Amino acid sequence: MRDPRRNSSPQRPQPVPPGPPVIEWPGLDEGHARAGQNLELLCMARGGNPLATLQWLKNGQPVSTAWGTEHAQAVARSTLVMIVRPEDHGARLSCEAYNSVSTGIQERGVTLQVTFPPSAITILGSASQSENKNVTLSCITKSSRPRVLLRWWLGWRQLLPTEETVMDGLHGGHISMSNLTFLARREDNGLTLTCEAFSEAFTKETFKKSLTLNVKYPAQKLWIEGPPEGQRLRAGTRVRLVCLAIGGNPDPSLTWYKDSRTVTEPRPPQEPRRVQLGSLEKSGSTFSRELVLITGPSDNQAKFTCKAGQLSASTQLVVQFPPTNVTILANASALRPGDALNLTCVSVSSNPPVNLSWDKEGERLEGVAATPRGAPFKGSAAARSVLLRMSSRDHGHRVTCRAHSTELRETVSAFYRLNVLYPPEFLGEQVLVVTAVEQGEALLPVSVSANPAPEAFNWTFRGYRLSPAGGPRHRILSGGALQLWNVTRADDGLYQLHCQNSEGTAEALVRLDVHYAPIIRALQDPTEVNIGGSVDIVCTVDANPILPEMFNWERLGEEEEDQSLDDMEKISKGSTGRLRIHHAKLTQAGAYQCIVDNGVAPPARGLVRLVVRFAPHVEHPSPLTKVAAAGDSTSSATLHCRARGVPNIVFTWTKNGVPLDLQDPRYTEHTYHQSGVHSSLLTIANVSAAQDYALFTCTATNPLGSDHTDIQLVSISRPDPPLGLKVVSMTPYSVGLEWKPGFDGGLPQSFQIRYEALGTPGFLYMNVLPPQATTFTLTGLQPSTRYRLWLLASNALGDSGLADKGSQISVTTPGLDQPSGEPDYQLPTEQPAGPSKLPLLPVLFAVGGLLLLSNASCVGGFLWQRRLKRLAEGISEKTEAGLEEDRVRNEYEESQWTGDRDTRSSMVSTTDVEPYYHSMRDFSPQLPPTLEEVSYPRGLTSLEEENMTFPGHVYDEVERLYSPSGACGPLYDEVPMGSCDLYWPEDRYEDARGIYDQVAGDLDPMEPDVLPFEMRGQLV
């Protein structure tokens, strides 16, 4: 069953209309507001169910429909916010309230009463008026509520209006107008004229409109400041005129006039500013305007006026100026020699007057004064005439008229250039001889005078006319000059020039002298002379010009003393120069150069060789030269014979005094010629001890004589002891040694040093490395100790022994406090006595170690030499032919190569080959290398022989030269030079290319194994 209480509900309130709306007005005066005020009005309606709906209306038009309600208080509220404007005056604001049960709309309204000031004040009329005249103005305001009153102020003085009027305005307001008329006075100028509007409703505000009263009145005084009137001013003087005025309103406009014409400032950019017009300047009540002039003739006695309204002031200038224009008038224009010319000079205007004078190119002329004409600028004019008789020399001259002012110290000139027509005339500066260099350019100038200019320039040479249009090597320039290029000596000669114009013709001759460099036409090369004779080295040239001192001679040599020509006579005559040599010496032989320089590059140079012929001289390096070779008929030996002499030398060989049969196939001779040095290399194949161990004699012969030397062919043996052992340096712990190798016995030799400290038992040994060295530093010595040293030479057959005292020496090392150097030493004379200062046991150990090292060095050296021998199979070592004799310097080049394969003999002369020795193992010793040679390492052999008697040896040399007394020049670099060389010192050679040319590349080594059987020697 349902609970009957659930159908019961609370009783609802009955709908009721709202109460009337109420407007809350701020302030006491309802409806009164001021323009610009921010007005807030609150409308409330109480009661009603539902609460009231509110809206604001302005003049019946809704302006706000927003409202709010408070149910607790049963109040509805709506606020209207607006800014009051003048046009809101009289508007009705109303608030309406209603709800859904209202039978009608309830309203509450307010009518606005708006107060507003005038928005603007305007003054009509001009506040500018001349003094002592009435000024009429009107002041009118915009609409205002309530009306405003107007009053006038001039400065701090109130003026009474002449009439006041009020009119209705907008929005219920009023317009006020006030008219004012008053007398303008000078002292009122610049005062502020104000129209002021005021009302009790606007006590806190002031409304004004102001104007500045401008009373016009003229300047009180006007004057000009400048040079005093009557002062003389020179043209070009800068003059400053200032116009000044006092007072005046508006500011006076100062205007300058020159002779009733307004002065303006010209502005041509290309001319200087002669007039500068300043602007109006004001200083207090004073006004000024400046006029700056650069005076000219037109300013003379001109009247300058400054005006300011009705006021004016004037000044006058006096300007002195030279003639403004000097003009020359002529009675004729076309003139010819003999014509008369009358010239008149006119000075147009000047102040003061001037004096006229005439001159021609600086020469004064007498003239006649003429009647002057009127002159502008209030100046003076002058005129003067002169009469001239014409000649061709007057053409182009200037006849000058000078107008001189004594007072101004200034002269104005004008000239008249004479135009005289005349035929061509060659001037005095015409060049008659032109010098040119062959292959260069030549310009034959023309110095000709003619009027009019020549119409044509015609050149002829040897009867032939040169083309005016030009040619391959010439052209005629616009001025008539003839230009030649690539000039040759065939162009030398006279050139004829023909000039022509409308007035006549003229001719001239110009000579072209062509200079060319000297060319040597004749030079006898070689020039030969016997020693002690006389000869001329003649040099003939073709040259232009030929100068007396154009011949010069040089001697080609490396040393300065070699180049001296003091003992020779130089002779020059015409195109021939001579170098005369009296009592010819060997030292004068060599290359000479004839140098001819005539100033035209390049100088001519000719090389001529002076050959001093002399009898042969065979080099004798020792009383008997030895050459070693194995006599087992498997080896070969080469005997070397070198001689000097000119002309070429012929060599002959004998064995034990019997001429050698070179038809024998076992003998081969090669002959080499280089300048004055000649060599003969005799190669003996299959050397036999029975047949070939003999004394061979080499004889050198030429037409002037002969000479010979002996060479002993011996068997292989032990080496000879070294020579000349000496100390070259010493320190407390070492000694430097030097020596000369002895004959090596035909086998490679090495050196060993044996030494002992005196007083200490036992010997120490040191092998010299490299084996072929001739200097060595022995180290490991003790300071202040005396040593005895031996030098041993050894080869595969043994050593040289200790018998030769030249291979032993005694030395004493310096102490630690003594300086090192080259100490004195002496040969030992007796065994020194005394106990040893060295401990015995360390010495024995040292000796044992050195012995082991020495044996190892010997074994290593032997294996190394054998390896070198195998590697060098088929290679011949290059020989060195010695240095060319310096003092002879014969460039005798008549050498030749002749070959006869049947006789096995040959002759070689070339600068491109060098001879090789062929020893018994086809091994060649080295000759001293030259600049054109490449030195090969020593010790290389050319053949490996399996069945050789000494399988490990390498033949180091074919021959050794020992220096006899008085002949200290060795042939080979293995033998050191002596202290002198009486004939051919090797450090003074002129030709650095050496004596021999390389031939080894062209000569195959003659190996015994490859020789035919019939060419082999007999077995021993």
Side-chain angles (χ1 to χ4, degrees), residues 217-231:
Y217 55 90
Q220 298 177 0
K221 183 180 179 181
L222 181 69
W223 74 98
I224 295 176
E225 291 183 356
E229 288 199 21
Q231 179 181 352

Side-chain angles (χ1 to χ4, degrees), residues 57 62 99 167 186 253 342 543 621 767 800 827 831 851 938:
L57 292 89
N99 65 4
M167 299 174 289
R186 181 179 298 187
S253 59
N342 186 34
N767 290 335
S800 59
L827 297 177
Q831 178 73 20
L851 289 177
R938 297 181 54 207

Side-chain angles (χ1 to χ4, degrees), residues 848-861:
L850 289 177
L851 289 177
L852 291 176
L853 181 60
S854 176
N855 292 334
S857 299
C858 292
V859 173

